[in-house]
Amino acid sequence: MASVSRFFLRRSFPLLVIVLLLAIQLIYTSYSSSYSQRLRTLTNDYLKVSSEEPHHDSNATYDDDISESPEKNVAIFDKLNHKNLASMVDAHGSSVISRPLKDKCNLYFEQLYEEDSDWKIGNEWMENFNKELFESKDRWIESQLRKLEATRRDKFEHENGHDSETPESWTTESDENHLELKYYAELEKGSTTQYTMINEIHRLAVYQACFGNDDNSSSYQAFLDDNANGIENRNYRNIETKMYGWISRKLPIFVHWTGEQTLGPPTTMESNHQGTMNNLDESMFDNKLKLSSNIDVGYNESFFNHLRSGFSGRGIVMSSADKFFDDTFALIRALRAVGNTMPIQIVHKGDLSPANQLELVKVARENSIEYPTADYSKLESLARNNHDNFRFSKNFPKQDLWFVNVDRCIADDYKEYFSSYTNKLLAYIFNSFEEMLLVDSDIVPYVNPSYFFETSQYVSSHSLFYKDRSHDEEISETDVDFFKAMLPTELENWMFGINASTDKTLKNRYMGSRYKHYMESGVVAINRLEYWAGIPISVQLSFWKPVMERVWGDKELFWLSQSIAGNENYEFNKYHVAAVGPLTKAENRKDLKAKELCATHPGHISSDDDSLVWINSGVTTCKRTDAYERDFESQREKNGFQTKEEVQKFYQGTLKITDAIIPPAAPEIHNELGEPSKGWLPSDMCWGYFWCAYSSIGGSSLPEHQGLVFKFDENSVLWHDYISKIYMGITSD
């Protein structure tokens, strides 16, 4: 009898596997469509809430599915994406909407503690996250099969040698069946985790709306007072630390170039160029404050509101470290050349040595500065004759430097999260300016920094963002759906005054067109008091791998975090990035219609006046100067160089900015004319750092397929050369 049963099981096992797979596929059939549709089909768990008197912004526009609803003032939202709100409405009814904001904030967080007294915003989500799970089951399984095949091949060759006869196949149908089961299990796990992250972001936005905008922490303290009886049991006093676990509640150390030190934002940031360079010593930049190991800001007030209360004035902020010293040194020279008089705060984590801080003070404060004398004389003459002088400054004003050590501000278990570009987010948070110009250390300005605050965008919105290259690397629909789920809805607008997202966010280049590169964050001008709600959210987003695999560095976090916080007032310069430098010679373009410009450096041209305002990545023509030998043939064809030495000199020299091309931001046009099919095409020159921009695509004459070509006049080229030479410390003309 037992043998018959075993025979039956052996014969029926494949059938059982097939039946099981079919059942799983039926359960998860919704996963084959977009992420949001998959989840909606799976859960069918929505909540409809009505409001007689919605508290929305009268200028805002809303989603089509809401506006088309037959009921007035109705919000339909996914309970899985808004778990805390759904619990609050379930517990108190939709009439809770009409209660005062203070009451709603109390109820929201009381409900949160009721459901989980140990809640916190996490940082550990999905270190092994695989975005491909959400995009294609077949691709994920194929990827796993390739890994399995490689593992088995390596093991076989290790055990049997390279010359042994290999199996016909390294994987089996059973492997595929097993991986299909694993795929659905991993997808379920990943979906649950993403839901958790989405809910945590909504929680942050609500917290910022309730408590994040008080200069004196009055609403925060009122919340603590109202819940005093629950503090011992629920630890309400730690609510901000639960929200922002990465803060230590310790203040940054500000060190002035004179050696004056202060804990937390200085009481005044007036640009006082007093002080003497005599007796400057690197020991002045060692910490001399008597610091306690205890926190600096108690739990009876909001740490961030305490920090915000010290914001004042206008200035330049950058993140730096010893490894970025050369860029920072060169940038300070350039800032003197363009006449900057705003104070500068250089933010670091103790990784900018006192010796290097002293060298930065010297280049910022020394009486003399190296500059090309002939170029200087020409520009001075233009200024004397009231010519358009590009804000030429003949005095090289001394810079008012501050160094801000934020190492103690970061909780120990979060310090590993701040590396590379995320250090810029620390500078975003911990400087002391109300109006901030945040810059990367490798940018080169061609205008006085005050210009950024005078642009039409900043004047109207108190913010200025810049766009990235308009090239066509795409993101998936599931990526967009993931971020859309983080955006505020009508219900959050009614409940907490968080403006619902409009087409400004939903139809921008990233969300609406699904292009990965929208913003370039090398220069950001912003009034931090007006946009504070979104600033801490940008830091939290940077911790999560499922977020950071969908964006490029920190760039998209600036606008995205503001939209999540319900503030869409930010404005972009209207132009996308330009390629800047010399055009490819016309004789080397044959009979092609499109002009071409290949360069390493993204350039940013003001849509106010068509002037070049800044570029990225220094001013060396090719940052990999060792590429001159391999690039010789390409450069001879494009630019007519006759020897490798000419290419070497060209690469090592400063970029000659005579022209610029902003390509059309249009879809690809295949053609047989030899014309470029896209506005941006990568080049293998300069070890792949060159990008080629084209003035038109596909040979088309349609307006949407035309870009912008800028030919800078003689005086502009002189100015560009002058600033670039000072940046590099070149005195010859």
Side-chain angles (χ1 to χ4, degrees), residues 51-278:
S51 170
E52 292 300 323
E53 298 180 359
H55 304 284
H56 58 71
D57 180 354
S58 61
N59 295 319
T61 58
Y62 300 104
D63 294 329
D64 291 341
D65 61 330
I66 301 301
S67 61
E68 292 174 2
S69 172
E71 299 180 60
K72 272 194 170 183
N73 306 328
V74 172
I76 302 172
F77 68 101
D78 189 336
K79 293 173 70 173
L80 289 178
N81 286 342
H82 300 81
K83 182 180 176 183
N84 300 125
L85 266 181
S87 296
M88 181 178 169
V89 173
D90 284 343
H92 302 284
S94 60
S95 62
V96 72
I97 292 174
S98 61
R99 298 180 68 166
L101 177 62
K102 175 186 172 183
D103 291 354
K104 290 183 284 191
C105 291
N106 279 358
L107 290 173
Y108 181 90
F109 288 102
E110 286 172 10
Q111 190 75 30
L112 182 56
Y113 276 98
E114 288 287 350
E115 294 180 357
D116 180 9
S117 60
D118 295 324
W119 71 270
K120 67 174 184 176
I121 304 295
N123 66 327
E124 69 279 6
W125 298 124
M126 292 186 78
E127 286 301 314
N128 298 318
F129 174 77
N130 186 343
K131 191 163 73 75
E132 200 173 65
L133 273 170
F134 297 89
E135 295 171 357
S136 169
K137 180 185 75 173
D138 292 340
R139 281 203 304 271
W140 185 87
I141 291 176
E142 288 170 7
S143 173
Q144 297 300 308
L145 286 172
R146 286 194 297 272
K147 292 177 183 177
L148 185 60
E149 180 179 333
T151 300
R152 288 176 178 172
R153 183 187 294 109
D154 290 345
K155 181 179 179 182
F156 180 87
E157 291 176 352
H158 176 74
E159 293 175 350
N160 301 285
H162 292 281
D163 298 328
S164 301
E165 184 177 351
T166 60
E168 289 184 10
S169 175
W170 297 100
T171 59
T172 66
E173 184 178 349
S174 177
D175 291 326
E176 293 186 33
N177 293 338
H178 169 74
L179 286 171
E180 187 159 14
L181 290 171
K182 184 179 179 181
Y183 168 80
Y184 288 121
E186 290 294 316
L187 184 61
E188 173 71 5
K189 177 182 174 183
S191 299
T192 300
T193 299
Q194 291 200 150
Y195 271 135
T196 303
M197 294 173 60
I198 290 164
N199 275 283
E200 291 189 351
I201 284 297
H202 286 297
R203 194 178 300 165
L204 284 173
V206 171
Y207 175 87
Q208 289 295 95
C210 288
F211 309 122
N213 291 311
D214 283 349
D215 291 335
N216 57 7
S217 295
S218 58
S219 62
Y220 186 83
Q221 289 171 341
F223 172 77
L224 297 182
D225 293 342
D226 289 346
N227 293 280
N229 294 331
I231 286 176
E232 185 175 338
N233 296 326
R234 295 178 179 170
N235 205 13
Y236 278 118
R237 294 175 62 198
N238 282 338
I239 184 172
E240 186 175 43
T241 303
K242 284 175 173 286
M243 283 288 171
Y244 299 109
W246 62 273
I247 59 173
S248 66
R249 305 190 73 81
K250 296 178 182 179
L251 295 168
I253 300 169
F254 287 75
V255 181
H256 192 238
W257 69 267
T258 58
E260 172 195 346
Q261 301 189 9
T262 179
L263 185 63
T267 55
T268 178
M269 278 301 301
E270 292 181 4
S271 188
N272 58 18
H273 291 187
Q274 293 91 10
T276 174
M277 292 288 286
N278 297 332

